[in-house]
Amino acid sequence: AEGDVRVHPPDPSTREKLRYRFDALLARGPLGVIALLFAITMTFVVVASTIIALAGSHYGQNGSTYSGFGEDFWQSLLRVLDTGTVANDPHWGERIVALIVTLAGIIIASALIGIIATGFEQRIESLQRGRGAVIETGHTLILGVSPRLYAIISELVIANESQRRPAIVVLSTTEKSEIEDEVASRVDDLKNTRLVFRTGDPANPANLERVAIGTARSVVVLADEESDGDAGAVKATLAAYSMLPDGDASIVVELGSESTAEALVAACGDRVLPVHAADIIAKVVAQACRQAGLGAVYRELLDFDGDEIYETGTAEVVGSRFGDTLLAYSGCTVMGVQHANGTLDLGPSMDLVIAEGDRLFVIAEDDSAIRFSGASAIAAAPPASGAAAPEVAERLLVIGWSDLGGRIVTALDGMLPVGTTLRIAVDPEILDPAEVTVPPIAHQVEVIANTGVADLGVEQFDQIFVLGYRGHLSQSDADARTLLTIITLNRRLADAGHRPRVVAEVLESRTVPIAATAGIDDFVVSDDLASLLMAQLSENAQLAAVFGELFGATGPTIAMQPASRYVALGEHSWGSVVLAVAKRGDVALGYRSADMAVVVNPKEPGPIGFGDHEQIVVLTRNPI
């Protein structure tokens, strides 16, 4: 337009163009510079050979005579490679030319050595930073880092023991050396598993291709609570879903929001298995608070050491009642049926008929241990006599608080006897009591400020639950405070006539050995529960429906029930106990002895004593 003034930059000079192209060559890395040095070397050799040939002279070498340009080229090249060769030149003309060529060779060789050394150093640094490509097949790919990473790796190591050359690949934004050191301090023995770490954005398709996502057996996506949390996990999941080929590989993703999990499944289908850690932790913590030893039961079912849940066919029992299958598999505990249409029925009616295409879920030491043994002639143990003791209102004290507190209280609400009161004591130096939000429940709740145990009157409570200050303190600090609270409680209750049952939540698994010696009645390693579940699903996606039922708000639940509810006190074989429990519509999974030892899927051939203090672990829809 009229009046516009366009200022054109001056054209670059030839010198600037050459410098730009030289800089571009250097930016290509060591190979480009080596090629440049080779070209310069050949130029010096050709120029020197041409000068010698045009001068009609020749190099002297062991008395040899001039034999053409080819010999001059060769002799010039030798003086570049070997500085001592110039000493054999008999005439000053050849000496001067050879000296110049030799000096150029020294300079070029020095530069070449430095470039090669720098190239090796850069390559080693790149590998140390986790930038190299991964060439693996059938590996487990973990995207992101969270506190649950270490327990997942530990469990996968156990699961991989029977495999040949198993590998776990971890891709995260954390520096490779940092995460390697942390894993080395948390995971004691990798056995036969190889751990490979790479650094990069898990949501970047180029990085996913670099860690061989196309050949991965399964993908685990972790939500980093200290960075972008669910947002980062969702992006990584969508990127992984778009790059995974059609097949059996599943994506297990850790999410904090239930609505986000539902939206992700709606977008990607059943191949994505979300794990809502908060709900799992809240339900198990609440149950363990009420029922001693329940945390050990869940851990036994979730970890890869001991007995786990497996799926098996039903060809041998088609047409049989579910109750008749309970003792049809030796060394196994049958717990549910998956129908041919895909629906799941855990702890179903004992009269349910097994149909063609149905499959059973059983608890066994290994899938190879599942063996059909046929119908059993064992009779049910004598039923319990007398009425069950009536429920008595209790007083429950919660020391500490976290974002999970509301979920735990809600889960406890359906387990507490009528008239139970709940007091929550929080340290005002850590959390303002006014910020403690308790969902509406059927029981009376009181929130107080308290900095120590001495003023709480702990002797008057029936149960005390120590909850870690998750989200308000670091995990290590929260566990340290929990341990100090337990020790103080023990001192306070040492001479008390009435000792309430004390249960604590432990955040880090490495705190467990200390908590076990702190004189506590029971503890729950909360974060380990979600970690174990994610590891199980990464190895066996079919269990997603089973754990969804167990950890859901409705449906059957695992409970510790008094043995006197099902059988007459005395000695009984485990098979007879299973049948007695089945008559009440429940499925027996194990028992807890008077010495607090929990046994899941018992295999003892002899009788087991059941008294006033023994409990039976059952899968039930009507827990006490």
Side-chain angles (χ1 to χ4, degrees), residues 246-299:
D246 293 336
D248 297 330
S250 58
I251 305 175
V252 183
V253 54
E254 171 190 12
L255 294 171
S257 169
E258 189 171 356
S259 59
T260 302
E262 293 174 354
L264 198 57
V265 172
C268 301
D270 295 338
R271 198 172 188 181
V272 173
L273 308 175
V275 174
H276 195 213
D279 283 346
I280 296 170
I281 295 171
K283 181 172 182 178
V284 176
V285 167
Q287 289 183 335
C289 180
R290 296 293 299 163
Q291 304 177 43
L294 197 58
V297 174
Y298 278 108
R299 185 174 185 89

Short mmCIF file of all heavy atoms in Angstrom, two decimals, residues 246-299:
data_model
loop_
_atom_site.label_atom_id
_atom_site.label_comp_id
_atom_site.label_asym_id
_atom_site.label_seq_id
_atom_site.Cartn_x
_atom_site.Cartn_y
_atom_site.Cartn_z
N ASP A 246 -3.47 -54.03 17.69
CA ASP A 246 -4.57 -54.89 18.14
C ASP A 246 -4.00 -56.17 18.74
O ASP A 246 -3.13 -56.82 18.16
CB ASP A 246 -5.49 -55.22 16.97
CG ASP A 246 -6.22 -53.98 16.47
OD1 ASP A 246 -6.36 -53.03 17.25
OD2 ASP A 246 -6.60 -53.96 15.28
N GLY A 247 -4.48 -56.53 19.90
CA GLY A 247 -3.98 -57.72 20.57
C GLY A 247 -4.47 -57.79 21.99
O GLY A 247 -5.47 -57.17 22.35
N ASP A 248 -3.74 -58.52 22.81
CA ASP A 248 -4.16 -58.74 24.19
C ASP A 248 -3.56 -57.74 25.18
O ASP A 248 -3.89 -57.78 26.36
CB ASP A 248 -3.79 -60.16 24.64
CG ASP A 248 -4.51 -61.21 23.82
OD1 ASP A 248 -5.63 -60.93 23.36
OD2 ASP A 248 -3.95 -62.31 23.62
N ALA A 249 -2.65 -56.89 24.73
CA ALA A 249 -1.99 -55.95 25.64
C ALA A 249 -3.01 -54.98 26.22
O ALA A 249 -3.78 -54.36 25.49
CB ALA A 249 -0.88 -55.19 24.92
N SER A 250 -3.03 -54.87 27.55
CA SER A 250 -3.96 -53.98 28.23
C SER A 250 -3.21 -52.79 28.80
O SER A 250 -1.98 -52.81 28.94
CB SER A 250 -4.70 -54.73 29.34
OG SER A 250 -3.77 -55.27 30.27
N ILE A 251 -3.97 -51.74 29.14
CA ILE A 251 -3.40 -50.53 29.75
C ILE A 251 -4.02 -50.36 31.12
O ILE A 251 -5.22 -50.10 31.25
CB ILE A 251 -3.66 -49.29 28.89
CG1 ILE A 251 -3.16 -49.49 27.46
CG2 ILE A 251 -3.01 -48.06 29.51
CD1 ILE A 251 -3.50 -48.35 26.52
N VAL A 252 -3.23 -50.53 32.16
CA VAL A 252 -3.68 -50.33 33.53
C VAL A 252 -3.28 -48.92 33.95
O VAL A 252 -2.09 -48.58 33.93
CB VAL A 252 -3.05 -51.37 34.49
CG1 VAL A 252 -3.59 -51.18 35.90
CG2 VAL A 252 -3.32 -52.78 34.00
N VAL A 253 -4.24 -48.10 34.29
CA VAL A 253 -3.95 -46.68 34.57
C VAL A 253 -4.45 -46.31 35.96
O VAL A 253 -5.56 -46.65 36.36
CB VAL A 253 -4.58 -45.77 33.49
CG1 VAL A 253 -6.07 -46.04 33.34
CG2 VAL A 253 -4.34 -44.29 33.82
N GLU A 254 -3.60 -45.63 36.70
CA GLU A 254 -3.92 -45.15 38.04
C GLU A 254 -4.55 -43.77 37.95
O GLU A 254 -3.97 -42.85 37.35
CB GLU A 254 -2.64 -45.08 38.87
CG GLU A 254 -2.79 -44.40 40.22
CD GLU A 254 -1.45 -44.14 40.88
OE1 GLU A 254 -0.41 -44.26 40.22
OE2 GLU A 254 -1.46 -43.79 42.08
N LEU A 255 -5.75 -43.61 38.51
CA LEU A 255 -6.47 -42.34 38.44
C LEU A 255 -7.03 -41.98 39.81
O LEU A 255 -7.38 -42.85 40.60
CB LEU A 255 -7.62 -42.41 37.43
CG LEU A 255 -7.22 -42.58 35.95
CD1 LEU A 255 -8.44 -42.86 35.10
CD2 LEU A 255 -6.48 -41.35 35.45
N GLY A 256 -7.11 -40.68 40.06
CA GLY A 256 -7.66 -40.23 41.33
C GLY A 256 -9.14 -39.89 41.25
O GLY A 256 -9.83 -39.89 42.25
N SER A 257 -9.63 -39.59 40.04
CA SER A 257 -11.03 -39.20 39.86
C SER A 257 -11.82 -40.34 39.24
O SER A 257 -11.43 -40.88 38.19
CB SER A 257 -11.11 -37.95 38.97
OG SER A 257 -12.44 -37.70 38.58
N GLU A 258 -12.94 -40.68 39.85
CA GLU A 258 -13.77 -41.75 39.32
C GLU A 258 -14.44 -41.33 38.01
O GLU A 258 -14.60 -42.15 37.09
CB GLU A 258 -14.83 -42.12 40.36
CG GLU A 258 -15.61 -43.37 40.00
CD GLU A 258 -16.50 -43.83 41.14
OE1 GLU A 258 -16.45 -43.22 42.22
OE2 GLU A 258 -17.25 -44.81 40.94
N SER A 259 -14.83 -40.05 37.90
CA SER A 259 -15.46 -39.58 36.66
C SER A 259 -14.48 -39.62 35.50
O SER A 259 -14.85 -39.93 34.36
CB SER A 259 -16.00 -38.17 36.85
OG SER A 259 -14.96 -37.27 37.22
N THR A 260 -13.22 -39.30 35.78
CA THR A 260 -12.19 -39.37 34.73
C THR A 260 -12.01 -40.81 34.28
O THR A 260 -11.85 -41.07 33.07
CB THR A 260 -10.86 -38.81 35.25
OG1 THR A 260 -11.04 -37.46 35.68
CG2 THR A 260 -9.79 -38.85 34.17
N ALA A 261 -12.04 -41.75 35.22
CA ALA A 261 -11.89 -43.16 34.86
C ALA A 261 -13.04 -43.61 33.96
O ALA A 261 -12.82 -44.32 32.97
CB ALA A 261 -11.84 -44.00 36.14
N GLU A 262 -14.26 -43.20 34.29
CA GLU A 262 -15.41 -43.59 33.47
C GLU A 262 -15.30 -43.01 32.07
O GLU A 262 -15.62 -43.68 31.08
CB GLU A 262 -16.70 -43.13 34.16
CG GLU A 262 -16.98 -43.85 35.47
CD GLU A 262 -18.18 -43.26 36.19
OE1 GLU A 262 -18.71 -42.24 35.71
OE2 GLU A 262 -18.58 -43.82 37.23
N ALA A 263 -14.87 -41.75 31.96
CA ALA A 263 -14.74 -41.11 30.65
C ALA A 263 -13.66 -41.79 29.82
O ALA A 263 -13.81 -41.96 28.60
CB ALA A 263 -14.43 -39.63 30.82
N LEU A 264 -12.57 -42.21 30.47
CA LEU A 264 -11.47 -42.85 29.75
C LEU A 264 -11.90 -44.22 29.22
O LEU A 264 -11.57 -44.59 28.09
CB LEU A 264 -10.26 -42.99 30.68
CG LEU A 264 -8.90 -43.25 30.03
CD1 LEU A 264 -8.57 -42.15 29.04
CD2 LEU A 264 -7.82 -43.32 31.10
N VAL A 265 -12.64 -44.98 30.02
CA VAL A 265 -13.13 -46.28 29.56
C VAL A 265 -14.13 -46.10 28.42
O VAL A 265 -14.14 -46.87 27.44
CB VAL A 265 -13.77 -47.06 30.73
CG1 VAL A 265 -14.46 -48.31 30.23
CG2 VAL A 265 -12.72 -47.41 31.76
N ALA A 266 -14.97 -45.06 28.51
CA ALA A 266 -15.93 -44.80 27.44
C ALA A 266 -15.23 -44.47 26.13
O ALA A 266 -15.70 -44.82 25.05
CB ALA A 266 -16.87 -43.66 27.85
N ALA A 267 -14.07 -43.81 26.22
CA ALA A 267 -13.34 -43.41 25.02
C ALA A 267 -12.51 -44.54 24.44
O ALA A 267 -12.37 -44.64 23.21
CB ALA A 267 -12.44 -42.21 25.34
N CYS A 268 -11.96 -45.39 25.29
CA CYS A 268 -11.00 -46.41 24.82
C CYS A 268 -11.52 -47.83 24.92
O CYS A 268 -10.89 -48.74 24.36
CB CYS A 268 -9.69 -46.30 25.61
SG CYS A 268 -8.90 -44.68 25.48
N GLY A 269 -12.60 -48.05 25.64
CA GLY A 269 -13.13 -49.40 25.74
C GLY A 269 -12.52 -50.19 26.88
O GLY A 269 -11.77 -49.67 27.72
N ASP A 270 -12.80 -51.50 26.89
CA ASP A 270 -12.39 -52.37 27.99
C ASP A 270 -10.89 -52.64 28.00
O ASP A 270 -10.39 -53.27 28.95
CB ASP A 270 -13.14 -53.70 27.92
CG ASP A 270 -14.64 -53.51 28.14
OD1 ASP A 270 -15.00 -52.49 28.74
OD2 ASP A 270 -15.41 -54.38 27.70
N ARG A 271 -10.18 -52.21 26.98
CA ARG A 271 -8.74 -52.45 26.97
C ARG A 271 -8.03 -51.60 28.03
O ARG A 271 -6.94 -51.94 28.46
CB ARG A 271 -8.19 -52.11 25.58
CG ARG A 271 -6.82 -52.71 25.33
CD ARG A 271 -6.42 -52.50 23.89
NE ARG A 271 -5.21 -53.22 23.60
CZ ARG A 271 -4.61 -53.21 22.42
NH1 ARG A 271 -5.13 -52.51 21.42
NH2 ARG A 271 -3.50 -53.89 22.22
N VAL A 272 -8.65 -50.50 28.42
CA VAL A 272 -8.11 -49.64 29.47
C VAL A 272 -8.73 -50.05 30.80
O VAL A 272 -9.96 -50.11 30.94
CB VAL A 272 -8.39 -48.16 29.17
CG1 VAL A 272 -7.99 -47.29 30.34
CG2 VAL A 272 -7.65 -47.72 27.91
N LEU A 273 -7.89 -50.34 31.79
CA LEU A 273 -8.34 -50.79 33.11
C LEU A 273 -7.96 -49.74 34.14
O LEU A 273 -6.82 -49.70 34.62
CB LEU A 273 -7.70 -52.14 33.46
CG LEU A 273 -7.85 -53.25 32.42
CD1 LEU A 273 -7.06 -54.48 32.85
CD2 LEU A 273 -9.31 -53.60 32.21
N PRO A 274 -8.87 -48.84 34.51
CA PRO A 274 -8.54 -47.81 35.50
C PRO A 274 -8.55 -48.37 36.91
O PRO A 274 -9.35 -49.24 37.25
CB PRO A 274 -9.65 -46.78 35.30
CG PRO A 274 -10.81 -47.55 34.76
CD PRO A 274 -10.23 -48.69 33.97
N VAL A 275 -7.63 -47.89 37.72
CA VAL A 275 -7.56 -48.26 39.14
C VAL A 275 -7.76 -46.98 39.94
O VAL A 275 -6.92 -46.07 39.89
CB VAL A 275 -6.21 -48.91 39.48
CG1 VAL A 275 -6.11 -49.13 40.99
CG2 VAL A 275 -6.05 -50.22 38.73
N HIS A 276 -8.88 -46.93 40.66
CA HIS A 276 -9.19 -45.76 41.50
C HIS A 276 -8.65 -46.04 42.89
O HIS A 276 -9.32 -46.63 43.74
CB HIS A 276 -10.70 -45.52 41.51
CG HIS A 276 -11.08 -44.18 42.03
ND1 HIS A 276 -12.23 -43.95 42.74
CD2 HIS A 276 -10.46 -42.98 41.95
CE1 HIS A 276 -12.30 -42.69 43.08
NE2 HIS A 276 -11.24 -42.08 42.62
N ALA A 277 -7.40 -45.63 43.11
CA ALA A 277 -6.68 -46.02 44.32
C ALA A 277 -7.38 -45.56 45.59
O ALA A 277 -7.41 -46.28 46.59
CB ALA A 277 -5.26 -45.46 44.27
N ALA A 278 -7.95 -44.37 45.57
CA ALA A 278 -8.54 -43.82 46.80
C ALA A 278 -9.67 -44.70 47.33
O ALA A 278 -9.76 -44.97 48.53
CB ALA A 278 -9.04 -42.40 46.55
N ASP A 279 -10.54 -45.17 46.44
CA ASP A 279 -11.67 -46.01 46.88
C ASP A 279 -11.18 -47.34 47.44
O ASP A 279 -11.71 -47.86 48.43
CB ASP A 279 -12.62 -46.25 45.71
CG ASP A 279 -13.50 -45.04 45.43
OD1 ASP A 279 -13.54 -44.15 46.29
OD2 ASP A 279 -14.11 -44.99 44.35
N ILE A 280 -10.17 -47.93 46.78
CA ILE A 280 -9.63 -49.22 47.23
C ILE A 280 -9.04 -49.08 48.62
O ILE A 280 -9.32 -49.87 49.53
CB ILE A 280 -8.58 -49.72 46.23
CG1 ILE A 280 -9.23 -50.00 44.88
CG2 ILE A 280 -7.88 -50.97 46.76
CD1 ILE A 280 -8.23 -50.28 43.79
N ILE A 281 -8.20 -48.07 48.78
CA ILE A 281 -7.53 -47.86 50.07
C ILE A 281 -8.57 -47.60 51.16
O ILE A 281 -8.50 -48.16 52.26
CB ILE A 281 -6.53 -46.70 49.97
CG1 ILE A 281 -5.40 -47.07 49.00
CG2 ILE A 281 -5.96 -46.35 51.33
CD1 ILE A 281 -4.48 -45.90 48.68
N ALA A 282 -9.56 -46.76 50.85
CA ALA A 282 -10.56 -46.40 51.87
C ALA A 282 -11.35 -47.63 52.33
O ALA A 282 -11.55 -47.83 53.53
CB ALA A 282 -11.50 -45.34 51.30
N LYS A 283 -11.77 -48.47 51.39
CA LYS A 283 -12.58 -49.63 51.77
C LYS A 283 -11.78 -50.62 52.59
O LYS A 283 -12.24 -51.12 53.62
CB LYS A 283 -13.15 -50.31 50.53
CG LYS A 283 -14.02 -51.51 50.88
CD LYS A 283 -14.75 -52.08 49.68
CE LYS A 283 -15.64 -53.26 50.11
NZ LYS A 283 -16.42 -53.82 49.00
N VAL A 284 -10.56 -50.92 52.14
CA VAL A 284 -9.75 -51.91 52.85
C VAL A 284 -9.33 -51.38 54.22
O VAL A 284 -9.33 -52.12 55.21
CB VAL A 284 -8.53 -52.32 52.01
CG1 VAL A 284 -7.64 -53.28 52.79
CG2 VAL A 284 -8.97 -52.96 50.71
N VAL A 285 -8.95 -50.10 54.28
CA VAL A 285 -8.56 -49.52 55.57
C VAL A 285 -9.73 -49.56 56.54
O VAL A 285 -9.58 -49.90 57.72
CB VAL A 285 -8.05 -48.07 55.38
CG1 VAL A 285 -7.96 -47.36 56.71
CG2 VAL A 285 -6.70 -48.07 54.69
N ALA A 286 -10.93 -49.22 56.06
CA ALA A 286 -12.11 -49.25 56.93
C ALA A 286 -12.39 -50.66 57.41
O ALA A 286 -12.67 -50.88 58.60
CB ALA A 286 -13.31 -48.68 56.18
N GLN A 287 -12.32 -51.64 56.52
CA GLN A 287 -12.58 -53.02 56.92
C GLN A 287 -11.52 -53.53 57.89
O GLN A 287 -11.82 -54.24 58.85
CB GLN A 287 -12.65 -53.92 55.68
CG GLN A 287 -13.89 -53.69 54.84
CD GLN A 287 -13.95 -54.65 53.66
OE1 GLN A 287 -12.93 -55.13 53.20
NE2 GLN A 287 -15.13 -54.90 53.16
N ALA A 288 -10.25 -53.19 57.61
CA ALA A 288 -9.18 -53.64 58.49
C ALA A 288 -9.28 -52.98 59.86
O ALA A 288 -8.88 -53.56 60.87
CB ALA A 288 -7.82 -53.33 57.86
N CYS A 289 -9.80 -51.75 59.88
CA CYS A 289 -9.99 -51.07 61.16
C CYS A 289 -10.98 -51.83 62.03
O CYS A 289 -10.84 -51.89 63.25
CB CYS A 289 -10.48 -49.65 60.90
SG CYS A 289 -10.77 -48.68 62.39
N ARG A 290 -11.99 -52.42 61.40
CA ARG A 290 -13.02 -53.15 62.14
C ARG A 290 -12.67 -54.61 62.35
O ARG A 290 -13.13 -55.23 63.30
CB ARG A 290 -14.35 -53.05 61.38
CG ARG A 290 -14.91 -51.65 61.28
CD ARG A 290 -15.32 -51.12 62.62
NE ARG A 290 -16.37 -51.94 63.19
CZ ARG A 290 -16.73 -51.93 64.47
NH1 ARG A 290 -16.09 -51.15 65.31
NH2 ARG A 290 -17.70 -52.70 64.91
N GLN A 291 -11.87 -55.20 61.42
CA GLN A 291 -11.64 -56.64 61.45
C GLN A 291 -10.15 -56.92 61.36
O GLN A 291 -9.54 -56.73 60.31
CB GLN A 291 -12.38 -57.31 60.28
CG GLN A 291 -13.87 -57.00 60.28
CD GLN A 291 -14.56 -57.60 59.08
OE1 GLN A 291 -14.30 -58.74 58.72
NE2 GLN A 291 -15.45 -56.84 58.46
N ALA A 292 -9.58 -57.36 62.45
CA ALA A 292 -8.15 -57.63 62.50
C ALA A 292 -7.77 -58.71 61.50
O ALA A 292 -8.46 -59.72 61.36
CB ALA A 292 -7.75 -58.06 63.92
N GLY A 293 -6.66 -58.50 60.81
CA GLY A 293 -6.14 -59.50 59.89
C GLY A 293 -6.67 -59.39 58.48
O GLY A 293 -6.19 -60.09 57.58
N LEU A 294 -7.67 -58.53 58.24
CA LEU A 294 -8.25 -58.45 56.91
C LEU A 294 -7.25 -57.87 55.91
O LEU A 294 -7.27 -58.22 54.73
CB LEU A 294 -9.53 -57.62 56.94
CG LEU A 294 -10.46 -57.79 55.74
CD1 LEU A 294 -10.88 -59.24 55.59
CD2 LEU A 294 -11.68 -56.90 55.87
N GLY A 295 -6.39 -56.97 56.38
CA GLY A 295 -5.37 -56.42 55.49
C GLY A 295 -4.46 -57.51 54.96
O GLY A 295 -4.06 -57.50 53.79
N ALA A 296 -4.14 -58.49 55.81
CA ALA A 296 -3.28 -59.60 55.38
C ALA A 296 -3.99 -60.47 54.35
O ALA A 296 -3.35 -61.02 53.44
CB ALA A 296 -2.88 -60.44 56.59
N VAL A 297 -5.31 -60.60 54.46
CA VAL A 297 -6.07 -61.40 53.49
C VAL A 297 -6.00 -60.74 52.11
O VAL A 297 -5.72 -61.41 51.10
CB VAL A 297 -7.54 -61.54 53.93
CG1 VAL A 297 -8.35 -62.25 52.85
CG2 VAL A 297 -7.62 -62.30 55.24
N TYR A 298 -6.26 -59.45 52.06
CA TYR A 298 -6.20 -58.76 50.77
C TYR A 298 -4.80 -58.81 50.18
O TYR A 298 -4.63 -58.97 48.97
CB TYR A 298 -6.65 -57.31 50.94
CG TYR A 298 -8.15 -57.13 50.92
CD1 TYR A 298 -8.85 -56.82 52.08
CD2 TYR A 298 -8.86 -57.30 49.74
CE1 TYR A 298 -10.23 -56.66 52.07
CE2 TYR A 298 -10.25 -57.15 49.72
CZ TYR A 298 -10.92 -56.83 50.88
OH TYR A 298 -12.29 -56.68 50.86
N ARG A 299 -3.79 -58.65 51.01
CA ARG A 299 -2.43 -58.70 50.50
C ARG A 299 -2.11 -60.09 49.94
O ARG A 299 -1.45 -60.22 48.91
CB ARG A 299 -1.43 -58.34 51.60
CG ARG A 299 -0.01 -58.25 51.08
CD ARG A 299 0.98 -57.74 52.11
NE ARG A 299 2.27 -57.60 51.49
CZ ARG A 299 2.70 -56.51 50.88
NH1 ARG A 299 1.91 -55.45 50.82
NH2 ARG A 299 3.89 -56.46 50.32
#
